[in-house]
Amino acid sequence: MRQVRLVTWAAIVALVAALVGLWATGRLPVRLADVKGALNELPFAAKFGGPFTLTDQNGARFSSARLDGKPFAIFFGFTLCPEVCPTSLLELTKDIESLGTDADKMNYLFVTVDPERDRPEHLKTYLENFDHRIIGLTGTPEEISAVARAYRVYYEKVKTKEGYTVNHTATVYLMGRKGLLVSTLAYGEKTATRHKKLRALISGEN
Ligand code: NI
């Protein structure tokens, strides 16, 4: 009995040693390089967001390079969203108006998480309900998925009787002029707090 146990243990030790060997030489799916890559994800703000190219509500390609040097607010949603998106865009519209001429010192982006239904013409019609400075962006499902991943935005199609709806992150991300995450606006956040954050974003060095 004791001998059997020893043999079992020896087998386990040998197996572990073999796995460690494979891992170190990069033959296992989890490689040393990947672990180092994950560590490089820090600091969070420095790796949040990043360059993208999508299509705007006029059907033109829109590169994030056009945002260089100006802070921006970015929000993800979809035009058929029953409540959260129209409310957020209405709040943002009021914020923009309250900023006065300072409003032009930053950009405002609305990225659809429903690219199949939200084509440029749908975004255009929808955004006519809000401040005209809000830029609507769509793209291929792959392009949208990449941008959402970069901004850590969750979205998921959910079946309904009529077809589907999309659950999604409702946070507005406030990005500084260097493209780094500076702050966020939460859904339903107090007007005074929102304005304070937006003014800090515009006047800040980040
Ligand atoms: Ni929504």
Side-chain angles (χ1 to χ4, degrees):
M1 196 63 192
R2 193 189 163 93
Q3 253 187 353
V4 172
R5 260 192 227 154
L6 271 177
V7 169
T8 308
W9 276 111
I12 290 170
V13 168
L15 182 66
V16 169
L19 283 173
V20 167
L22 279 175
W23 181 73
T25 53
R27 273 177 229 145
L28 273 191
V30 180
R31 285 175 208 171
L32 207 52
D34 294 336
V35 176
K36 278 186 197 145
L39 289 175
N40 282 339
E41 297 271 40
L42 302 169
F44 182 71
K47 292 286 175 183
F48 189 93
F52 59 81
T53 303
L54 294 169
T55 301
D56 70 16
Q57 73 264 50
N58 297 311
R61 292 297 272 170
F62 183 96
S63 158
S64 56
R66 276 169 54 185
L67 304 167
D68 280 357
K70 268 191 187 184
F72 62 97
I74 184 166
F75 173 69
F76 293 75
F78 65 114
T79 65
L80 293 174
C81 179
E83 196 182 332
V84 173
C85 289
T87 307
S88 300
L89 289 168
L90 198 61
E91 282 179 343
L92 192 59
T93 293
K94 288 183 196 158
D95 293 339
I96 295 171
E97 282 161 10
S98 79
L99 285 170
T101 52
D102 280 347
D104 294 325
K105 293 178 182 167
M106 62 177 284
N107 285 294
Y108 311 89
L109 310 178
F110 174 68
V111 182
T112 183
V113 287
D114 188 9
E116 281 112 335
R117 290 188 297 201
D118 285 344
R119 301 316 303 151
E121 58 271 28
H122 299 115
L123 286 176
K124 195 180 171 80
T125 309
Y126 181 67
L127 289 173
E128 277 163 10
N129 298 301
F130 309 101
D131 191 283
H132 68 273
R133 283 165 283 195
I134 301 172
I135 299 164
L137 296 170
T138 185
T140 64
E142 294 74 26
E143 286 170 340
I144 295 299
S145 147
V147 180
R149 221 177 308 126
Y151 281 88
R152 316 300 203 263
V153 163
Y154 145 89
Y155 66 102
E156 186 186 21
K157 270 189 194 175
V158 179
K159 276 190 182 166
T160 60
K161 270 187 222 157
E162 299 79 29
Y164 70 89
T165 185
V166 188
N167 289 342
H168 65 93
T169 303
T171 308
V172 179
Y173 299 103
L174 301 181
M175 309 297 291
R177 59 192 81 247
K178 290 167 193 156
L180 301 181
L181 177 68
V182 170
S183 185
T184 60
L185 301 179
Y187 180 63
E189 193 161 342
K190 276 189 200 161
T191 308
T193 318
R194 300 171 65 90
H195 292 178
K196 209 171 151 186
K197 287 180 178 177
L198 286 165
R199 292 208 172 274
L201 180 73
I202 289 169
S203 61
E205 279 177 19
N206 287 320

